[in-house]
Amino acid sequence: MAGAGGGNSDVQWCFSQVKGAIDDDVAEADIISTVEFNHSGELLATGDKGGRVVIFQQEPETKNQPQCRGEYNVYSTFQSHEPEFDYLKSLEIEEKINKIRWLPQKNAAQFLLSTNDKTIKLWKISERDKRPEGYNLKEEDGRYRDLNTVTTLRVPVFRPMDLMVEASPRRVFANAHTYHINSISVNSDCETYLSADDLRINLWNLEINDRSFNIVDIKPANMEELTEVITAAEFHPNQCNTFVYSSSKGTIRLCDMRASALCDQHAKQFEEPEDPNNRSFFSEIISSISDVKFSHSGRYMMTRDYLSVKIWDLNMESRPVETYQVHEYLRSKLCSLYENDCIFDKFECCWNGNDSVVMTGSYNNFFRMFDRGYRQDVTLEASRENSKPRSVLKPRKVSTGGKRKKDEISVDSLDFNKKILHTAWHPLDNIIAVATTNNLYIFQEKLN
Amino acid sequence: MISTMECGADAQNLISISLMKIHNSRTQRGGIKLHKNLLVSYVLRNARQVYIKEKYAEIYRMQQYEEVMTVCNEIQELDPLDLDAEDDEEHARTACCGEGASPCGSVCHRGAAQPAAHARTASAVFGCASLEEDTREPDPSYYRSCCMEASPAPHCDQLPASGSAHCNKTTVLDLDTHVVTTVENGYLHQDCCCDAPPLGQGAQTPAKKRKVEPGCYVSDVEEISDFTAARKRAKREDCSYHSLDYTDTSNISNLISIFGSGFSGLLSRQADLEQICSKQVLASLGAWTRAIVAF
């Protein structure tokens, strides 16, 4: 059964694979910026700062090793976005892939949406394993034959060839966002999707790329009165009329597109009052929500702010039903984290297949899992040192008090350059993909 | 109430760090990140609030506070319209409340409408600036002349009719060189003339009262600013100065113009008093220049 347990002693996580360069000198273009499984879990897509998309495919399980789920190998690599220059504003547009979202599969081909700051593209990834041979008028290399030499006719046939995976851009959705796109989300109707930037959310039809509808606009009439921006948005997993968007103020608004064309008036607003005892210079920063994800059931949603993960019941707006502290020991370090810009890191979060466990990243290449049922949590590390095949990951602990126990790491020893911002959980199995700066780690549940 | 004990966070240090971040964001690839700059502006606002509170706490302990209040009361009682022109008033008029392209107030904002508080603040600030500049001859008339110039109704009528003054000019006055640099941003005439008189009236809310005080005390207690700044300097690390070592006036103007596209958290109506003191903060931050930085 998928996703059962996670943080408790039932599930142990093993190293499976690591993708990416080994050397410590990280090329900026190789920095992974998004990770996403497709709906079956067979494909795993990553986007990087250089605008490339790399898709891994899971090998079918072999009879030789039934205990081990298939490995992920490179399936397709393509350049999704290139750097652009906005001449009007004299601004360079980064090619960094901010988000990838898979479309549900309808035929043999796979489709995904990838976006940078300004432009969304729909890519078709298709396989070609046959090619036609035996043309009458053409040679095998494509040159046209001299007609005088054609004395017989034959019917061209398809012959097998080495598998070739082609990625082709089918749609380009451009020029709809003034501000930086932070989210895209495919609707459950499989016809539309939304894209969100700092101040606006647009609704697109997947077939139509020259028009979009603006459904949320929080830009104030006077920009001087700006107090919050949109940080993430997502469609409900099964209600095609419902979506949520989170803000930098720590609020989540749920909107119903049936209510009106412009969803500035939210149907629900989820907000937890701030604890006045925790007020600091950085209260606004750490309350800014960096990610919002619906549970697969659609009953709950999860938000990630700088220090915590919160689970919200859609039926209760006043406060989250669960709150998990990711790295509370950083609360006293906020000043330093502000100076080195780490406080602006946008961590993502994800659910497991049956919504019983949630996962998010932290620093020092640590990532955390919270088991909602058993109320347990675990800290694991993605590092090359634990990268022997099928080696079990040992839980890590950060010591916060004065006395550091053996095997614990002190807060001051944490490497804040090693951060895990992007994680993904296989929709059906206990397989997780964890992105460090430029490496992708795949861990699997230890099967006996 | 913001806890200042966190990490030994120094409000002034945070202000300088935040300004540096905003400055650096201009040259980052991909353009200015709205979200990040908004968050930085919140930190700036919070640091400024704390700094103001600390500053006032210090001032309250000063013996000169009594004298300050006396001066304040005198100024408040004066009717700006009754003042005679003086030589330095001419200078002030030119520098302060000139029409058209002349630089005027000191609160800066790009583009659209601006809350009146900004103008109020800026005018008061400019009053401060003027007074500071005239430390050799602390002259309340300098400040008054600024208000006087702006007060005539026709003059005000020429301004964009709006409940809240539309500021579209930014002025940096370098008190050392008396160079005034203007960025086409906000101006404050309307609020300067409209709001200055009420400031002088009694029975004010604490906020209003505090608004007046800086304009009053600065001229006489510039040495206090220096004194407190010196004390602060002794405590603080040098890096907070070094972080502001880009001392060219042009760089400051750039900073202002960057920040001029700023956020309301800094310039809400309630925060005008803080704005005065943020300028005081920055004025006292270093002697590299005595420019009054307007946000």
Side-chain angles (χ1 to χ4, degrees):
Chain A
M1 181 178 131
N8 59 354
S9 54
D10 288 344
V11 174
Q12 286 186 304
W13 291 94
C14 310
F15 171 84
S16 174
Q17 296 169 270
V18 60
K19 309 285 187 190
I22 298 176
D23 45 303
D24 292 331
D25 202 15
V26 178
E28 188 159 337
D30 294 336
I31 295 173
I32 297 172
S33 51
T34 185
V35 181
E36 187 81 358
F37 279 101
N38 75 335
H39 294 271
S40 66
E42 184 202 359
L43 298 175
L44 174 62
T46 63
D48 64 24
K49 254 191 147 184
R52 291 167 303 206
V53 171
V54 180
I55 301 175
F56 302 91
Q57 183 187 42
Q58 189 179 29
E59 298 301 321
E61 286 182 23
T62 61
K63 290 177 189 162
N64 298 340
Q65 289 179 318
Q67 289 86 12
C68 197
R69 294 190 181 91
E71 281 197 344
Y72 283 84
N73 297 319
V74 176
Y75 179 65
S76 174
T77 304
F78 56 93
Q79 186 75 31
S80 171
H81 287 72
E82 298 275 2
E84 288 174 53
F85 195 80
D86 183 337
Y87 296 99
L88 194 62
K89 296 176 188 169
S90 292
L91 282 180
E92 191 179 1
I93 300 168
E94 277 190 283
E95 67 277 28
K96 174 169 77 91
I97 307 296
N98 292 334
K99 282 286 173 350
I100 289 174
R101 289 289 182 262
W102 290 93
L103 269 58
Q105 190 174 12
K106 285 184 183 173
N107 50 38
Q110 301 277 357
F111 288 85
L112 62 79
L113 287 169
S114 68
T115 184
N116 68 349
D117 283 340
K118 297 287 184 184
T119 305
I120 307 134
K121 294 188 183 179
L122 176 68
W123 289 89
K124 177 181 178 183
I125 296 104
S126 51
E127 294 181 358
R128 190 194 295 268
D129 60 358
K130 293 182 273 289
R131 69 163 180 222
E133 288 178 13
Y135 282 106
N136 291 292
L137 301 176
K138 279 195 292 187
E139 303 285 359
E140 293 302 329
D141 58 7
R143 283 181 302 139
Y144 281 97
R145 292 170 70 181
D146 185 354
L147 289 178
N148 297 326
T149 63
V150 178
T151 54
T152 59
L153 285 179
R154 55 184 177 171
V155 178
V157 293
F158 276 103
R159 293 205 190 280
M161 59 178 264
D162 291 339
L163 178 66
M164 192 165 71
V165 180
E166 298 172 322
S168 59
R170 304 302 288 180
R171 302 273 187 280
V172 177
F173 305 91
N175 302 322
H177 285 280
T178 308
Y179 301 94
H180 295 144
I181 297 173
N182 52 56
S183 306
I184 48 175
S185 178
V186 183
N187 203 345
S188 52
D189 64 7
C190 300
E191 288 183 7
T192 56
Y193 75 95
L194 64 78
S195 59
D197 66 25
D198 291 322
L199 297 178
R200 298 187 178 101
I201 300 179
N202 292 335
L203 181 71
W204 301 83
N205 184 301
L206 285 162
E207 299 293 329
I208 300 168
N209 64 338
D210 60 354
R211 260 169 296 154
S212 70
F213 291 98
N214 175 247
I215 53 176
V216 172
D217 188 341
I218 65 167
K219 183 178 178 184
N222 176 8
M223 272 299 271
E224 319 305 343
E225 291 159 16
L226 181 73
T227 56
E228 64 179 337
V229 297
I230 297 169
T231 53
E234 193 178 59
F235 266 119
H236 191 277
N238 31 61
Q239 293 171 14
C240 59
N241 55 285
T242 305
F243 66 93
V244 294
Y245 68 92
S246 60
S247 85
S248 56
K249 271 192 167 176
T251 63
I252 309 103
R253 292 179 179 89
L254 184 143
C255 301
D256 187 336
M257 293 195 292
R258 297 170 301 186
S260 71
L262 199 57
C263 297
D264 284 355
Q265 299 295 320
H266 52 264
K268 293 193 181 187
Q269 178 164 315
F270 300 83
E271 192 171 10
E272 182 175 32
E274 186 195 350
D275 180 2
N277 296 329
N278 278 336
R279 185 101 184 97
S280 76
F281 289 117
F282 313 105
S283 293
E284 287 82 4
I285 299 186
I286 63 171
S287 65
S288 175
I289 292 173
S290 53
D291 194 18
V292 64
K293 291 266 173 43
F294 276 106
S295 64
H296 292 92
S297 64
R299 166 89 190 266
Y300 299 96
M301 66 178 174
M302 163 168 56
T303 58
R304 175 72 156 97
D305 51 65
Y306 190 65
L307 296 178
S308 67
V309 162
K310 295 178 181 175
I311 312 284
W312 302 79
D313 187 323
L314 291 193
N315 299 319
M316 186 165 77
E317 300 167 58
S318 55
R319 63 179 190 279
V321 290
E322 295 153 38
T323 301
Y324 301 104
Q325 300 301 331
V326 181
H327 35 221
E328 182 68 14
Y329 46 79
L330 295 183
R331 193 180 286 274
S332 58
K333 309 284 179 197
L334 293 179
C335 192
S336 312
L337 295 166
Y338 178 71
E339 288 183 46
N340 63 17
D341 272 1
C342 283
I343 205 172
F344 301 105
D345 288 335
K346 295 183 185 171
F347 292 94
E348 293 175 6
C349 52
C350 60
W351 299 84
N352 73 337
N354 65 2
D355 301 334
S356 62
V357 185
V358 297
M359 173 169 66
T360 189
S362 179
Y363 293 104
N364 209 68
N365 281 349
F366 288 169
F367 58 99
R368 302 260 283 141
M369 289 182 185
F370 301 94
D371 191 313
R372 302 174 61 210
Y374 291 98
R375 288 289 176 165
Q376 293 179 4
D377 61 86
V378 69
T379 304
L380 301 172
E381 182 181 1
S383 80
R384 296 251 176 195
E385 288 160 8
N386 308 327
S387 56
K388 289 197 195 112
R390 288 186 292 284
S391 63
V392 175
L393 293 183
K394 202 171 117 186
R396 305 303 307 265
K397 198 150 166 56
V398 177
S399 76
T400 52
K403 217 172 179 185
R404 186 174 69 90
K405 293 180 193 164
K406 190 190 162 195
D407 288 344
E408 283 186 357
I409 183 165
S410 73
V411 180
D412 298 317
S413 307
L414 295 174
D415 187 343
F416 290 96
N417 291 321
K418 294 182 179 173
K419 53 192 86 170
I420 291 177
L421 304 175
H422 312 286
T423 59
W425 206 308
H426 192 287
L428 303 169
D429 296 332
N430 271 347
I431 303 173
I432 55 175
V434 172
T436 60
T437 306
N438 64 333
N439 286 166
L440 183 72
Y441 286 79
I442 298 172
F443 301 105
Q444 294 185 2
E445 181 185 12
K446 182 171 154 65
L447 299 172
N448 298 317
Chain B
M1 185 65 153
I2 293 175
S3 161
T4 56
M5 299 308 294
E6 159 208 294
C7 309
D10 181 353
Q12 278 186 310
N13 201 18
L14 276 180
I15 288 171
S16 61
I17 291 170
S18 302
L19 289 174
M20 182 65 97
K21 285 186 191 298
I22 291 172
H23 177 69
N24 290 339
S25 72
R26 290 201 95 185
T27 53
Q28 277 170 3
R29 227 180 136 224
I32 296 176
K33 305 226 175 344
L34 187 64
H35 184 200
K36 182 177 176 185
N37 279 274
L38 180 65
L39 296 177
V40 169
S41 75
Y42 275 118
V43 174
L44 200 50
R45 183 196 65 176
N46 294 337
R48 191 182 60 207
Q49 284 173 350
V50 169
Y51 183 85
I52 289 160
K53 289 186 175 76
E54 289 174 352
K55 231 0 183 194
Y56 275 114
E58 273 186 69
I59 289 166
Y60 268 110
R61 287 191 287 271
M62 296 293 179
Q63 280 187 350
Q64 285 89 341
Y65 178 72
E66 295 299 325
E67 297 176 19
V68 166
M69 286 307 299
T70 309
V71 172
C72 278
N73 292 335
E74 287 174 6
I75 291 177
Q76 288 169 28
E77 286 160 17
L78 286 169
D79 183 350
L81 294 173
D82 286 344
L83 298 168
D84 298 329
E86 294 180 11
D87 288 342
D88 49 355
E89 276 186 24
E90 291 294 326
H91 181 78
R93 209 169 289 139
T94 311
C96 167
C97 301
E99 251 195 289
S102 307
C104 57
S106 51
V107 167
C108 126
H109 246 320
R110 244 181 235 289
Q114 179 151 338
H118 304 173
R120 243 198 327 269
T121 302
S123 68
V125 171
F126 195 88
C128 298
S130 311
L131 289 166
E132 263 195 279
E133 179 189 11
D134 276 339
T135 54
R136 296 177 294 279
E137 322 168 82
D139 191 345
S141 65
Y142 194 83
Y143 170 76
R144 294 195 301 272
S145 70
C146 169
C147 297
M148 178 176 86
E149 178 61 28
S151 61
H155 189 75
C156 284
D157 287 344
Q158 293 162 19
L159 309 171
S162 165
S164 59
H166 286 255
C167 295
N168 50 13
K169 278 188 183 161
T170 305
T171 299
V172 178
L173 172 63
D174 187 319
L175 294 178
D176 287 334
T177 63
H178 294 193
V179 169
V180 177
T181 310
T182 303
V183 179
E184 292 298 318
N185 281 328
Y187 86 111
L188 312 155
H189 284 183
Q190 186 170 347
D191 288 320
C192 177
C193 68
C194 295
D195 293 337
L199 292 180
Q201 291 164 12
Q204 296 161 348
T205 65
K208 274 192 181 172
K209 195 173 180 188
R210 279 183 289 171
K211 218 187 309 182
V212 174
E213 285 171 3
C216 302
Y217 80 73
V218 163
S219 62
D220 286 351
V221 296
E222 185 205 357
E223 58 271 25
I224 294 178
S225 304
D226 283 340
F227 172 64
T228 54
R231 276 173 41 182
K232 279 273 187 183
R233 239 172 267 146
K235 290 182 207 167
R236 274 187 297 114
E237 293 171 17
D238 286 341
C239 62
S240 64
Y241 277 111
H242 297 322
S243 66
L244 285 176
D245 258 348
Y246 45 89
T247 58
D248 301 284
T249 307
S250 59
N251 281 343
I252 300 162
S253 302
N254 284 339
L255 239 185
I256 297 157
S257 60
I258 293 160
F259 215 77
S261 58
F263 307 100
S264 67
L266 293 168
L267 296 161
S268 64
R269 291 176 185 276
Q270 291 78 23
D272 50 3
L273 104 88
E274 299 155 318
Q275 194 173 20
I276 299 169
C277 293
S278 70
K279 294 167 184 59
Q280 301 308 316
V281 167
L282 291 157
S284 66
L285 268 179
W288 43 272
T289 178
R290 300 305 304 261
I292 303 296
V293 180
F295 293 134

